Amino acid sequence: VSTDSTGGWSELVRGVLAGEPRPLARLITRVENRAPGWQDALRALYPHTGKARILGITGAPGVGKSSLTNQLALRLVARGYRIGIIAVDPSSPFSGGALLGDRLRMSDVPTTPETFIRSMATRGSLGGLCQGARDVARVLDAAGYGLILIETVGVGQDEIEIVKAADVVVVVCVPGQGDGVQALKAGIMEIADLYVVNKADRDGAEQVVADIGAMLALAGENRAFHEMVYRTNSLSGDGVDALIDSLLGRVASVELSPARADERARDEILLLIEREVARRVRARLSDDARLAAAVKAVVTRQSDPYSAAESLLADLSGAEAGPDE
Ligand SMILES: Nc1nc2c(ncn2[C@@H]2O[C@H](COP(=O)(O)OP(=O)(O)OP(=O)(O)O)[C@@H](O)[C@H]2O)c(=O)[nH]1
Ligand SMILES: [Mg+2]
């Protein structure tokens, strides 16, 4: 379409800022694919960001995160919000079923100027899962989506990093998962703002509520229990409005502390640097005869991976520093 000197980016950026869905979808895809000029696009959008609030929705596979997100989105749109949804899939190597399932369950959410849905099945994506979700959220923010819901399966470091970047984190549990609540203690618990016991239509929901209560008490949580634990049925929508009232209350009260804002910016800058350094190192070494020789030496036990890495790194930094140093 466009052949301007920015490779069409400036037109897309204009469209995004004007709130047009098609340029938005195209720009996000190109940013995710790291098409040439992606940084320029994000640079141009950055001054227009910082208004959106991000809700992280996490929990074990199948607890109803997508169904709940769907219910939240429909109701929030009815309340006048523009909602961006990012579904981060674990991209199971066995099938694309999870992705399709998410699309199906979220199909109730109309793609209108009020809602925008993007699935990311992106293990091994170019920018990394966490940065990828961050970039997409940032584009949606610039496009005027005031609330961004990010669904992630609460397993794995990447997913935890993603929800850490959210303003409010909802952890979804269900009855009948036995040690489900137990499993949550690792990592996710520290960042949870609210707990949802979904599938509250099923037996055992009250037991899960009680388990969470016990866990919170152990953790010395001093917020009122009833303000932290909600019961929902994501099929009928029961309980979802009460959850929304609480979420909106929290969102309104979240003002990022300066220290937290600094920490986030710092994390992001470091992450971007790490990615780029890793990319450059791989590019430099991939065809390097020294790497090939080191591989052989390690495989035949003439050397070891530690010495090989150390000596290649020394070569690289020597080359970086230049002949004068
Ligand atoms: N009975 C009952 N079933 C529910 C409820 N919420 C979701 N389900 C069902 O649970 C199944 C999983 O729902 P999803 O919304 O796909 O769950 P998810 O957590 O997004 O799943 P993954 O993204 O695959 O981890 C579906 O068959 C839903 O219809 C609920 O409140 N009650
Ligand atoms: Mg899902």
Side-chain angles (χ1 to χ4, degrees):
V1 187
S2 35
T3 51
D4 65 35
S5 62
T6 67
W9 282 110
S10 62
E11 196 174 307
L12 290 180
V13 165
R14 237 190 333 271
V16 167
L17 293 176
E20 297 165 17
R22 281 185 58 122
L24 179 61
R26 287 186 54 206
L27 185 138
I28 287 176
T29 301
R30 289 177 64 174
V31 164
E32 279 190 276
N33 293 338
R34 296 302 194 227
W38 67 274
Q39 288 116 321
D40 296 330
L42 288 176
R43 234 171 251 147
L45 292 174
Y46 191 76
H48 304 275
T49 63
K51 287 172 282 231
R53 288 289 173 257
I54 300 179
L55 306 182
I57 297 166
T58 192
V63 294
K65 299 178 294 297
S66 297
S67 310
L68 180 63
T69 300
N70 181 44
Q71 291 281 356
L72 291 172
L74 286 169
R75 285 171 163 72
L76 285 164
V77 167
R79 294 192 192 198
Y81 287 88
R82 294 183 70 206
I83 306 297
I85 300 174
I86 304 172
V88 180
D89 276 285
S91 47
S92 147
F94 303 110
S95 78
L99 179 60
L100 186 60
D102 272 332
R103 283 206 192 285
L104 288 178
R105 279 189 288 282
M106 285 192 183
S107 62
D108 290 355
V109 181
T111 303
T112 63
E114 287 77 41
T115 53
F116 185 93
I117 307 175
R118 170 62 58 125
S119 285
M120 302 179 60
T122 47
R123 232 348 120 232
S125 81
L126 292 170
L129 198 58
C130 183
Q131 187 63 36
R134 213 190 302 239
D135 292 341
V136 174
R138 186 163 282 154
V139 175
L140 292 173
D141 183 354
Y145 291 88
L147 281 176
I148 298 168
L149 312 182
I150 304 188
E151 174 192 341
T152 72
V153 171
V155 291
Q157 197 52 42
D158 276 347
E159 284 78 9
I160 290 177
E161 290 299 321
I162 292 169
V163 288
K164 259 184 169 170
D167 297 298
V168 176
V169 175
V170 177
V171 172
V172 185
C173 307
V174 287
Q177 278 208 320
D179 51 359
V181 175
Q182 204 70 17
L184 285 174
K185 285 183 184 169
I188 290 282
M189 244 213 76
E190 298 95 83
I191 52 175
D193 294 295
L194 296 178
Y195 292 87
V196 167
V197 177
N198 190 44
K199 310 197 185 183
D201 50 308
R202 294 200 175 160
D203 287 345
E206 287 317 306
Q207 186 56 51
V208 183
V209 171
D211 289 348
I212 295 170
M215 185 184 71
L216 290 173
L218 264 180
E221 174 60 54
N222 47 26
R223 271 178 294 164
F225 171 67
H226 69 272
E227 290 171 7
M228 287 197 69
V229 187
Y230 291 81
R231 300 163 181 82
T232 57
N233 175 340
S234 297
L235 302 184
S236 69
D238 285 350
V240 177
D241 277 309
L243 172 64
I244 288 180
D245 291 339
S246 172
L247 281 172
L248 291 177
R250 288 200 74 83
V251 163
S253 69
V254 178
E255 264 324 313
L256 209 51
S257 72
R260 183 82 186 89
D262 285 2
E263 187 190 327
R264 271 194 204 184
R266 186 190 158 86
D267 280 354
E268 183 171 7
I269 294 167
L270 289 175
L271 199 68
L272 285 166
I273 293 174
E274 280 169 25
R275 285 266 154 192
E276 184 55 21
V277 168
R279 194 191 64 74
R280 287 186 196 180
V281 167
R282 278 182 185 271
R284 284 266 292 281
L285 283 179
S286 61
D287 293 329
D288 197 306
R290 284 171 297 182
L291 177 60
V295 168
K296 233 186 176 63
V298 168
V299 169
T300 58
R301 296 285 186 288
Q302 285 165 312
S303 179
D304 60 85
Y306 315 99
S307 314
E310 201 169 39
S311 110
L312 284 167
L313 195 58
D315 285 355
L316 279 179
S317 9
E320 208 100 284
D324 292 336
E325 295 187 40

